[in-house]
Amino acid sequence: MTATAPKMMTFGPAGESDRRSQLARLMRNSPIPDRELMLNAGLYLTPQTLSRVLFMDFLYRQILEVQGVVLEFGCRWGQNMSLYTSLRGIYEPFNRLRRVIGFDTFSGFVSVATEDGKCVEAGDYATAPGYEQHLEQVLAMQEEESPLPHLRKFEIVKGDATKTFPEFLARNPQTIVALAYFDFDLFEPTRDCLKELLPYLTKGSVIGFDEINDDTTPGETVALREVIGLGRYAIKHYRHSARTSYLVVE
Ligand SMILES: C[S@@+](CC[C@H](N)C(=O)[O-])C[C@H]1O[C@@H](n2cnc3c(N)ncnc32)[C@H](O)[C@@H]1O
């Protein structure tokens, strides 16, 4: 499956995008044999990507003593779901209840609101058609790399999360959320899912955010301010990943 090139925002200097494309081509055409390619995936990681991996590791380590599942709101290509799956395998290989659930339309933004400013529009961040099937295969294989491979511990929920998340909660009344990562970039779905999420959090639950305090996607901060407030919990910043934030429920 070849990825389409949907619209997405980048903030790097001139030349960065060309260099990244060149690196991507080197990766696609890598002379490294298949049996060694995965062992050398880090060869192609840029500092920016690695810093996001480190952030996911940091977040995951915060919830090791907290009961509950891991949710990603806006999983897109699914890298974070894959990382959480591997991190579970590393830190708590027998925690069959630490399910990883990702929500996305897989067709990009449904709509944008005035709170979202001028940089985003409906359809941004679409994936390739049918991508969720590819993601399902990748996650199933990742799960086989760790103990308890016979138990399915991830779920991909396709559709508008303002509808699918309440439906998911109705289907899963046992839900406690240890970690929720918000990466919709948008006001309305962030607001609606945050509201739904609150009764399912416990002390120590962590909420991560991709775009807080970011003027290109103001809607995420507006949603946080509206639903939780900015003064109730410290909005923390992980020092090795510039854009991302998190809070811990106290
Ligand atoms: C910036 S991308 C997510 C990137 C991904 N988390 C990562 O780390 O690579 C934002 C995603 O949110 C999804 N999204 C936005 N609004 C949504 C909604 N109402 N329901 C489901 N997904 C939505 C988009 O389809 C898109 O894939």
Side-chain angles (χ1 to χ4, degrees), residues 29-235:
N29 301 319
S30 176
I32 300 176
D34 281 359
R35 66 180 184 283
E36 289 189 56
L37 191 56
M38 302 318 297
L39 295 173
N40 290 283
L43 175 64
Y44 301 101
L45 284 185
T46 61
Q48 189 212 36
T49 309
L50 182 56
S51 76
R52 289 179 68 83
V53 174
L54 294 175
F55 181 51
M56 293 308 148
D57 173 67
F58 171 82
L59 288 183
Y60 199 101
R61 283 187 283 114
Q62 309 310 304
I63 60 157
L64 292 177
E65 307 291 323
V66 183
Q67 181 61 273
V69 297
V70 175
L71 307 180
E72 183 171 30
F73 292 106
C75 61
R76 203 169 183 233
W77 303 119
Q79 171 168 269
N80 292 339
M81 289 185 78
S82 178
L83 291 173
Y84 297 140
T85 300
S86 294
L87 291 166
R88 181 184 57 219
I90 294 168
Y91 291 122
E92 40 181 12
F94 297 101
N95 190 351
R96 70 178 173 84
L97 301 180
R98 186 79 80 199
R99 297 176 67 235
V100 175
I101 300 115
F103 296 84
D104 211 297
T105 59
F106 295 100
S107 51
F109 296 167
V110 181
S111 58
V112 298
T114 49
E115 287 84 349
D116 294 313
K118 303 241 174 288
C119 299
V120 291
E121 50 190 20
D124 288 357
Y125 290 96
T127 61
Y131 179 75
E132 63 280 6
Q133 286 138 34
H134 175 82
L135 179 58
E136 181 99 22
Q137 281 182 311
V138 173
L139 293 176
M141 287 190 176
Q142 291 289 36
E143 208 160 59
E144 286 186 33
E145 295 286 326
S146 295
L148 307 180
H150 60 295
L151 299 175
R152 181 50 67 99
K153 299 179 291 300
F154 71 87
E155 187 173 341
I156 299 166
V157 185
K158 182 179 173 172
D160 180 349
T162 63
K163 301 189 178 76
T164 60
F165 183 43
E167 288 162 8
F168 171 87
L169 291 170
R171 283 197 306 278
N172 293 278
Q174 80 287 351
T175 299
I176 299 173
V177 178
L179 169 61
Y181 195 73
F182 277 87
D183 197 4
F184 286 140
D185 293 10
L186 298 178
F187 171 66
E188 280 173 359
T190 306
R191 176 198 60 192
D192 292 1
C193 291
L194 261 180
K195 271 189 200 157
E196 289 289 336
L197 177 69
L198 291 181
Y200 297 87
L201 299 171
T202 184
K203 285 189 178 168
S205 294
V206 174
I207 312 180
F209 298 94
D210 218 76
E211 268 92 21
I212 292 300
N213 193 40
D214 191 332
D215 59 346
T216 57
T217 45
E220 195 176 281
T221 312
V222 179
L224 172 62
R225 200 174 62 231
E226 218 173 84
V227 179
I228 294 182
L230 299 182
R232 182 157 167 207
Y233 307 112
I235 312 298

Side-chain angles (χ1 to χ4, degrees), residues 17-31 44:
S17 167
D18 286 348
R19 195 174 56 248
R20 297 265 169 94
S21 301
Q22 228 178 315
L23 197 53
R25 275 196 300 277
L26 287 170
M27 186 166 84
R28 278 193 197 280
N29 301 319
S30 176
Y44 301 101

